[in-house]
C-alpha cells in the first residue's frame, strides 16, 4: 500500500510517498481502506519532531483522522461488515491507504455524507464535543467564548454551542475569518475581532457579559484575559496553544471566582477512553451530522500526492476550516 | 451581647469589644450562644480591609467558625432543640456571644469533644474535605501533595488523606512543623522540607513519584512546581495564596498532562451550596470526628478578651494548628 512517510524531521518536503505492506488485523479490529484524511496542525508539529507519536501507533506516518471503507473485520467484530463506510479519530497513521483501528473507535458515515466531508469531522467535532459537553458541562443559556473561531475546532465548537442553545462569542485576529464564521453559524453567533495585544476581556464583559465556558485554542496571554472575563465557577478548556505556552496568571481570581482550568488532549488517551468517547459522540452528535445540522468545515480537497503543498498551506494559515487529502 | 468589632481597617488593635443587641431569628434558623471560635488567616485580611465580608453577613464582626449551644430555634427547625451543642462554618460574625445560622448549616458536636476542640474543626476539615473528596475525587492509593502542611487546613488534609488510604506528602519551610505533623499523622505520612526557592518538583518525582492530587495552600511559584511533578490527569486544588498571587505557568504541560487547576473558596458560596456541603460532611466525616480518628489541630486557647494578642500570634506565624478563642 502507499504510505506518506516522514523521512526526517523537517519542512513539508521531508514527506515522501512510499510503498509498505498492508497491516494485519486482530479479533477486535477492522482494516479500513482510507479514502480521505485531513491535515491538522499537530501533523506539522510531529513532522518537525516536536510532537512525538504515541507509542501504540506507527511512528513515521502522520494523520489523526480518516474516512474510508471497511476492507476486513476481526473475528469478534459485530459493529461493522466489509464494505461499510466508516470514519474516526486515531493517534496517528491515517496518511496511507490502509489503517487498522479498534472497531469500537470507528463510527458509520451517515449516508448523504461523502468521504471527503466525513474526513473533515472527527478531529474538530470530537475534540470540541469532548471539551465542551463532556468536560465543560455545556448547558443551554451558557455564555461560551471560542478563541480562534476560524479554525476547524473553533467552527465545530461554535456549531455545537448553537446546537445546545448556548450563546457563542467567537474571536479571531482576521476579519475575513469572522465574517465567514458568522455566515456559517448564522443567528445567535457573535464575532469579536482581537487585536494583536489580545486585551479582549473588557470588551467581552461590557458587550457580551461574563463567560461560563471557554474553548481556548490560542493559549498564552489569552488565558489571562479569559480569567478576567470569567463568570464565577466558569471552566476554561485549554485545547490549543497557537499563541504561546507560557503565561502569567492571576491565581487570586482563579481562587475567588472558583474557576476550573482544564488541559485536554486527545492523543495520550487510552483505548478505553477512546471507546467511551466514541460511544458518547455517536449517540449524542452523530444524528446531527446525519441531518447536516452540524456541517463539516471543509476548506478544500487535494490529492494524496500533493501532501507537501497541503502542509505548506496549513503552515501559511491560509485555510478556513479543514484541508482534506483524498486517496 | 458582647461582640468584637472592627472599628477601622488596620492592625490587631482596631479590634474592640463592644455591646450589641442579640439578633432575631427566622423560621429556619437557630440562635447559637457561642462558646468558642477560631482565628483564621482570612480574618486578618478582612481586618485590614483586604477581604470584604459577603453581603449576607454582619460586616464588622470577624469569625468564620464556631462551637456553641443552641439558645433558641425557629418554627420549622426539627434538626436541633434548645441546649444542643452545635458547630459549623459561617461567612462571618462568630467573634461575638450570639450568632444566627441556618439550622441545616450546623452540625451536632459529638459527645466527647469539648467546645474548644469543636471550634478547631470546621474551617480546616470542611475546606479540606470539600477540596479533596468532593472536588478532587480523592481515592485510595492516590499520591497527595499538601503544601504548608503545618497549617490548620494542611493538618486536616493530611489526616483525611490517611483516612482515605491515600499516600500523603506534606511540605513546609519549617522543620519543626514537619516534625510535629509527622508525630500527629504517624505512619504513611512523608515530610519534605521546602527551600526558599521552592524548587521541590524534582525531589518529589524522584523520592515519592508523580502526584495525583495537590492541596495547594501556598500558591505563587508552588503552582509551577506542582505542574512539573503532576501525574497525567492530576488535579491541583488551589485553596490558599500565602506565597503570592501571580505566577508564570507552563500551559503546554497543563494541556499534555490533561491537568485540572481548580480554584476554591468557601466564602462566596450560596446557602444551598453550604447546606449540601454540610450534609455530605456530616454523613462522611463527622463519624470520624466522633471516634477522634480525625483530630482537631488545636495550638492553644485564649480568652475572648485577648483577641489582639491572638491576631498578633497568627500574623507572626507562631502557631501550629488553630488558635481558639473561648467566650
Amino acid at each position: 500500500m502507499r504510505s506518506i512517510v516522514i523521512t526526517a524531521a523537517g519542512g513539508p518536503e521531508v514527506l515522501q510517498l512510499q510503498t509498505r505492506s498492508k497491516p494485519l488485523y486482530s479479533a477486535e479490529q477492522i482494516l479500513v481502506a482510507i479514502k480521505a484524511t485531513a491535515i491538522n496542525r499537530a501533523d506539522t508539529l510531529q513532522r518537525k519532531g516536536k510532537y512525538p507519536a504515541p507509542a501504540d501507533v506507527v511512528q513515521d506516518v502522520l494523520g489523526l483522522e480518516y474516512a474510508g471503507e471497511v476492507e476486513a473485520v476481526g473475528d469478534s467484530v459485530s459493529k461493522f461488515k466489509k464494505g461499510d463506510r466508516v470514519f474516526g479519530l486515531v493517534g496517528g497513521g491515517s496518511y496511507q491507504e490502509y489503517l487498522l483501528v479498534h472497531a469500537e473507535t470507528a463510527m458509520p458515515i451517515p449516508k448523504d455524507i461523502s468521504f471527503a466531508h466525513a474526513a473533515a469531522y472527527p478531529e474538530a467535532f470530537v475534540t470540541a464535543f469532548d471539551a465542551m459537553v463532556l468536560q465543560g458541562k455545556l448547558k443551554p443559556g451558557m455564555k461560551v467564548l471560542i478563541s480562534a473561531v476560524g479554525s476547524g475546532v473553533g467552527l465545530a465548537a461554535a456549531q455545537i454551542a448553537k446546537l445546545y442553545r448556548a450563546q457563542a462569542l467567537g474571536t479571531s485576529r482576521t476579519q475575513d475569518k469572522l465574517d465567514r464564521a458568522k455566515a456559517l453559524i448564522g443567528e445567535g453567533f457573535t464575532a469579536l475581532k482581537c487585536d494583536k495585544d489580545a486585551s479582549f476581556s473588557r470588551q467581552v464583559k461590557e458587550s457580551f457579559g461574563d463567560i461560563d465556558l471557554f474553548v481556548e485554542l490560542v493559549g498564552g496571554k489569552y488565558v489571562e484575559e479569559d480569567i478576567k472575563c470569567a463568570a464565577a465557577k466558569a471552566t476554561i478548556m485549554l485545547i490549543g496553544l497557537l499563541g504561546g505556552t507560557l503565561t502569567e496568571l492571576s491565581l487570586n481570581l482563579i481562587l475567588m471566582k472558583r474557576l476550573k482550568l482544564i488541559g485536554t488532549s486527545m492523543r495520550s488517551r487510552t483505548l478505553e477512553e477512546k471507546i467511551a468517547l466514541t460511544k458518547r459522540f455517536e449517540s449524542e452528535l452523530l444524528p446531527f451530522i446525519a441531518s447536516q445540522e452540524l456541517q463539516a468545515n471543509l476548506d478544500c480537497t487535494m490529492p494524496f500526492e500533493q501532501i507537501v503543498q497541503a502542509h505548506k498551506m496549513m503552515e501559511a494559515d491560509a485555510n478556513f476550516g479543514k484541508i482534506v487529502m483524498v486517496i
Side-chain angles (χ1 to χ4, degrees), chain A:
Chain A
M1 65 168 179
R2 293 177 303 155
S3 301
I4 292 170
V5 174
I6 313 173
T7 54
E13 68 285 354
V14 304
L15 300 171
Q16 277 182 17
L17 205 54
Q18 296 187 358
T19 301
R20 296 212 164 166
S21 55
K22 259 175 156 175
L24 295 171
Y25 53 94
S26 67
E28 295 179 318
Q29 289 182 313
I30 56 175
L31 179 67
V32 180
I34 297 180
K35 304 296 182 188
T37 180
I39 316 291
N40 285 287
R41 202 161 285 268
D43 297 341
T44 66
L45 292 173
Q46 186 181 341
R47 189 200 68 221
K48 291 173 189 163
K50 290 182 180 170
Y51 190 37
D56 59 343
V57 302
V58 52
Q59 299 291 302
D60 60 353
V61 179
L62 300 169
L64 299 172
E65 56 195 325
Y66 67 91
E69 208 174 276
V70 177
E71 171 96 0
V73 300
D75 286 344
S76 44
V77 174
S78 57
K79 188 175 177 183
F80 299 109
K81 59 180 194 312
K82 183 168 164 32
D84 283 350
R85 298 182 341 128
V86 292
F87 67 149
L89 204 54
V90 285
S94 69
Y95 282 19
Q96 54 188 5
E97 284 182 291
Y98 293 92
L99 181 67
L100 277 180
V101 300
H102 191 288
E104 299 297 326
T105 66
M107 298 181 288
I109 300 176
K111 69 177 167 47
D112 295 326
I113 311 277
S114 70
F115 286 121
H117 277 83
Y121 279 105
E123 191 270 342
F125 282 83
V126 172
T127 299
F129 170 75
D130 174 75
M132 299 170 82
V133 179
L134 302 187
Q135 297 193 68
K137 315 290 179 200
L138 182 65
K139 297 275 181 304
M142 270 190 174
K143 289 186 176 176
V144 182
L145 179 62
I146 302 158
S147 62
V149 73
S151 65
V153 179
L155 292 170
Q159 292 184 62
I160 291 170
K162 186 172 182 178
L163 185 71
Y164 277 76
R165 308 284 186 263
Q167 299 175 57
L169 176 73
T171 67
S172 174
R173 283 166 56 180
T174 316
Q175 187 60 48
D176 177 54
K177 289 193 179 187
L178 288 174
D179 294 342
R180 292 169 76 169
K182 219 168 156 45
L184 174 73
I185 316 294
E187 279 292 302
F189 172 76
T190 307
L192 177 70
K193 191 164 180 302
C194 268
D195 296 329
K196 200 160 184 180
D197 75 343
S199 54
F200 55 79
S201 62
R202 203 165 58 98
Q203 208 180 328
V204 168
K205 282 173 84 78
E206 282 171 9
S207 64
F208 191 75
D210 289 350
I211 303 294
D212 303 300
L213 177 62
F214 295 83
V215 177
E216 185 49 78
L217 300 167
V218 179
K221 200 174 176 313
Y222 277 45
V223 181
E224 295 172 58
E225 292 292 308
D226 292 347
I227 288 170
K228 289 181 197 162
C229 61
K233 300 179 78 176
T235 301
I236 302 168
M237 293 302 310
L238 185 64
I239 305 172
L241 294 169
L242 292 171
T245 64
L246 278 175
T247 194
E248 193 173 71
L249 296 186
S250 173
L251 297 174
N252 59 331
L253 282 182
I254 295 179
L255 190 152
M256 298 294 290
K257 290 187 179 183
R258 300 163 63 191
L259 305 183
K260 287 192 175 81
L261 172 63
I262 304 178
T264 184
S265 149
M266 282 292 151
R267 209 171 205 190
S268 55
R269 301 202 181 179
T270 63
L271 179 61
E272 290 65 36
E273 289 179 301
K274 287 173 182 168
I275 290 173
L277 176 54
T278 307
K279 282 189 176 148
R280 291 290 300 268
F281 187 88
E282 213 173 315
S283 80
E284 293 176 44
L285 238 53
L286 195 58
F288 298 101
I289 292 177
S291 70
Q292 297 189 45
E293 188 167 343
L294 296 175
Q295 303 235 346
N297 308 302
L298 185 59
D299 179 283
C300 63
T301 59
M302 297 174 81
F304 196 50
E305 291 75 12
Q306 290 183 14
I307 184 65
V308 175
Q309 290 93 311
H311 267 231
K312 285 180 176 167
M313 184 176 171
M314 168 66 75
E315 292 195 310
D317 203 18
N319 58 306
F320 176 80
K322 310 289 287 196
I323 304 165
V324 167
M325 305 285 304
V326 290
I327 300 183

